[in-house]
Amino acid sequence: AQSVTQLDSQVPVFEEAPVELRCNYSSSVSVYLFWYVQYPNQGLQLLLKYLSGSTLVKGINGFEAEFNKSQTSFHLRKPSVHISDTAEYFCAVSDLGGYQKVTFGTGTKLQVIP
Amino acid sequence: DAGVIQSPRHEVTEMGQEVTLRCKPISGHNSLFWYRQTMMRGLELLIYFNNNVPIDDSGMPEDRFSAKMPNASFSTLKIQPSEPRDSAVYFCASSLASGGARETQYFGPGTRLLVL
């Protein structure tokens, strides 16, 4: 069984500052990794995903994440945040050999302060 | 494409009443998921359909919950009888099954359910 840990439930950051949202996972098999974003009163949408190959993955809205197998981490970063990035961010993992069951983390609320 | 469509967007009902939530997946998608989101438990998978067949319903909390997918373009999640602890946001998501676990899930806007 897989699990995902998002260490920070809330992250306040000033506009135009960099941000890192942390994600660690646990699995006995190889996994795919995802970051989804949820804006207020909306459903989740995909930011980026790691399937294979380069460990640095670039996504929408200037976000990127780095897969680190030895540390079982998949941290999300953005060099300069905007007010519009205020949202909740979910890290998720799925089993390569399984069907499409995705295990989501508990989410990190990013609050961008003007 | 219109995306995943859910109705109603908001539902307020009294304890003991039947609640039916509806979902229309993205055309051509053959996997469908129902999730429940609460502050206490986060995002939980309730049930997964592939080609209209329920594959994994281990997340369905109890017999009061049931889900159906009579065709590729429609699914329902029913709660009967409803209880206050069922209050949550219920999301439907769809994806292509061909890529397996690597596929992106596309979420609807959710149904916010309040059981009084």
Side-chain angles (χ1 to χ4, degrees):
Chain A
Q2 311 118 325
S3 67
V4 178
T5 301
Q6 292 184 246
L7 298 168
D8 305 302
S9 59
Q10 294 191 50
V11 173
V13 62
F14 286 103
E15 193 173 14
E16 297 184 4
V19 69
E20 178 180 83
L21 305 183
R22 296 180 292 170
C23 172
N24 287 88
Y25 69 92
S26 173
S27 177
S28 57
V29 298
S30 296
V31 297
Y32 298 123
L33 293 157
F34 306 80
W35 276 100
Y36 284 82
V37 60
Q38 184 179 26
Y39 297 104
N41 299 316
Q42 294 185 26
L44 282 68
Q45 63 184 84
L46 183 73
L47 264 183
L48 51 80
K49 59 183 174 182
Y50 172 78
L51 302 180
S52 66
S54 173
T55 57
L56 183 64
V57 181
K58 293 190 182 297
I60 62 171
N61 301 338
F63 283 93
E64 63 181 31
E66 186 154 19
F67 170 57
N68 187 317
K69 189 173 182 179
S70 62
Q71 297 187 7
T72 61
S73 67
F74 191 54
H75 300 333
L76 181 70
R77 302 185 184 97
K78 186 170 182 178
S80 175
V81 295
H82 189 266
I83 292 290
S84 60
D85 294 323
T86 295
E88 190 160 16
Y89 293 78
F90 292 89
C91 183
V93 62
S94 66
D95 175 357
L96 258 71
Y99 71 87
Q100 294 174 276
K101 183 170 184 175
V102 174
T103 301
F104 286 89
T106 51
T108 297
K109 291 184 179 176
L110 174 63
Q111 182 184 7
V112 180
I113 304 164
Chain B
D1 199 313
V4 176
I5 298 172
Q6 290 187 246
S7 64
R9 292 293 310 275
H10 302 272
E11 176 82 29
V12 180
T13 190
E14 292 187 346
M15 183 174 63
Q17 296 298 305
E18 177 179 296
V19 175
T20 299
L21 312 181
R22 298 172 177 80
C23 174
K24 177 179 170 57
I26 292 172
S27 177
H29 283 187
N30 50 359
S31 290
L32 186 136
F33 308 82
W34 281 100
Y35 291 91
R36 177 171 67 177
Q37 185 179 39
T38 62
M39 291 288 290
M40 293 298 295
R41 300 173 69 91
L43 198 61
E44 306 172 273
L45 176 66
L46 299 178
I47 188 167
Y48 158 61
F49 290 89
N50 179 265
N51 291 321
N52 314 334
V53 176
I55 303 298
D56 182 356
D57 65 356
S58 59
M60 296 286 266
E62 49 198 275
D63 291 345
R64 297 185 298 106
F65 285 70
S66 63
K68 294 182 179 179
M69 192 164 187
N71 57 61
S73 58
F74 184 65
S75 177
T76 60
L77 178 68
K78 188 175 292 186
I79 308 172
Q80 166 63 15
S82 58
E83 296 182 2
R85 60 193 169 117
D86 302 330
S87 297
V89 182
Y90 291 82
F91 289 104
C92 175
S94 71
S95 73
L96 290 168
S98 56
R102 62 173 51 211
E103 292 287 353
T104 299
Q105 294 187 18
Y106 295 83
F107 283 74
T111 295
R112 190 172 296 272
L113 173 65
L114 177 61
V115 183
L116 302 174

